[in-house]
């Protein structure tokens, strides 16, 4: 089954972009996923193809018009009604690896890319099926870069994209922890050696060491993750 993606954007030329190379690029060529950017301006009703207007109440910037965005969303829904719709906005709920896994097991995703000061809020009132998501506490020029990140996270989990189905199981966030540190040859570099346990050949000890390192690093670097991990474990 092909993982369908529809990206509603003012810059369709940004897709597939970096998703056209490496693992995602090979998967695209193999038909494991499909990239379908949709130009938002195609749904403007005036001769100038206007998609934005000044903020009600005053202020800097421009706001994406509800009617134009709703028309674009309705077009996507008509063609593929089963795809979840995600709007990229810093006002959204932070995306999680668990949500990425849910999306990757489904038929695909429609992504709505914000620009300027964002969306007219009435869009979300009128189309409550739109899920507002954020890629983190940062501000980007538009939702396209966030969409690329989200798609990459999904595509790598599709069957056959990674070399082994278990390749991503131990990575950061999959088990609620940051991933343990990695090392490779040479055994010594600039006076620093690979930890002895990793050279022991004792797989039980290596597994225990890796778990301990993951827990230590999470506790020190991401106390928010550590608290959630502890609560879930308790």
């Amino acid at each position: 089954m092909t993982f369908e993606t529809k990206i509603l954007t003012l810059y369709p030329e940004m897709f597939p972009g970096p998703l056209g190379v490496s693992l995602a690029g090979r998967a695209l060529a193999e038909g494991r996923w499909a990239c379908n950017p949709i130009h938002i301006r195609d749904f403007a009703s005036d001769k100038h193809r206007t998609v934005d207007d000044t903020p009600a109440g005053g202020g800097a910037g421009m706001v994406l018009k509800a009617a134009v965005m709703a028309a674009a969303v309705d077009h996507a829904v008509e063609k593929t009604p089963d795809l979840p719709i995600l709007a990229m906005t810093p006002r959204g709920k932070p995306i999680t690896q668990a949500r990425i896994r849910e999306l990757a097991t489904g038929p695909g995703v429609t992504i709505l890319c914000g620009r300027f000061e964002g969306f007219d809020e009435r869009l979300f009132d009128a189309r409550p099926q739109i899920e507002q998501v954020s890629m983190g506490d940062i501000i980007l020029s538009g939702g396209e870069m966030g969409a690329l990140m989200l798609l990459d996270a999904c595509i790598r989990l599709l069957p056959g994209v990674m070399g082994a189905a278990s390749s991503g199981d131990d990575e950061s966030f999959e088990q609620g922890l940051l991933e343990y540190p990695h090392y490779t040859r040479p055994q010594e570099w600039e006076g620093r050696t690979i930890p002895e346990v990793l050279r022991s050949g004792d797989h039980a000890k290596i597994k225990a060491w890796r778990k301990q390192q993951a827990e230590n690093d999470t506790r020190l670097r991401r106390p928010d993750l550590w608290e959630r991990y502890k609560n879930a474990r308790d």
Side-chain angles (χ1 to χ4, degrees):
M1 181 179 68
T2 299
F3 187 80
E4 295 288 339
T5 71
K6 292 190 172 181
I7 308 101
L8 310 184
T9 173
L10 290 173
Y11 300 97
E13 63 272 17
M14 293 180 69
F15 299 89
L19 299 180
V21 298
S22 190
L23 289 177
R26 288 197 294 272
L28 181 62
E30 293 167 356
R32 299 184 188 277
W33 71 286
C35 181
N36 300 293
I38 297 172
H39 204 316
I40 292 170
R41 288 195 188 277
D42 291 343
F43 302 90
S45 57
D46 67 318
K47 66 178 181 179
H48 300 295
R49 303 175 77 199
T50 306
V51 299
D52 58 346
D53 207 337
T54 55
M62 302 292 280
V63 178
L64 289 167
K65 297 166 70 71
V68 176
M69 305 309 296
V73 169
D74 292 346
H75 170 80
V77 169
E78 180 182 3
K79 298 294 183 179
T80 48
D82 296 332
L83 301 188
I85 307 170
L86 276 61
M88 309 305 298
T89 166
R91 299 185 68 244
K93 182 179 179 181
I95 198 75
T96 65
Q97 187 64 17
R99 182 63 179 128
I100 291 294
R101 281 202 170 271
E102 290 176 355
L103 293 170
T105 60
V109 63
T110 294
I111 303 178
L112 189 54
C113 298
R115 277 276 161 176
F116 315 124
E117 294 302 309
F119 305 97
D120 184 319
E121 191 67 18
R122 291 172 295 181
L123 171 68
F124 303 120
D125 297 333
R127 304 293 186 273
Q129 72 269 38
I130 300 175
E131 178 184 349
Q132 300 181 59
V133 300
S134 167
M135 300 307 290
D137 295 342
I138 56 174
I139 304 297
L140 302 171
S141 298
E144 288 80 11
M145 296 305 295
L148 289 167
M149 292 171 60
L150 189 148
L151 289 174
D152 181 75
C154 291
I155 293 163
R156 62 187 296 276
L157 297 178
L158 299 179
V161 174
M162 287 190 286
S166 61
S167 293
D169 291 350
D170 289 334
E171 293 179 325
S172 294
F173 314 119
E174 287 291 357
Q175 307 300 327
L177 296 168
L178 297 180
E179 191 175 4
Y180 50 80
H182 291 278
Y183 300 86
T184 190
R185 291 185 291 266
Q187 180 176 316
E188 182 176 337
W189 174 76
E190 291 192 354
R192 295 168 173 83
T193 60
I194 295 174
E196 183 177 352
V197 64
L198 298 180
R199 296 179 277 122
S200 68
D202 189 324
H203 296 294
K205 288 183 178 180
I206 291 172
K207 182 177 180 180
W209 180 88
R210 285 174 168 170
K211 182 179 180 182
Q212 185 64 55
Q213 293 297 310
E215 291 181 347
N216 290 344
D217 285 350
T218 303
R219 178 173 53 83
L220 294 173
R221 301 180 185 188
R222 289 291 304 274
D224 56 324
L225 287 180
W226 179 246
E227 285 301 316
R228 289 201 295 270
Y229 174 76
K230 283 200 307 179
N231 292 337
R233 187 175 56 178
D234 293 342

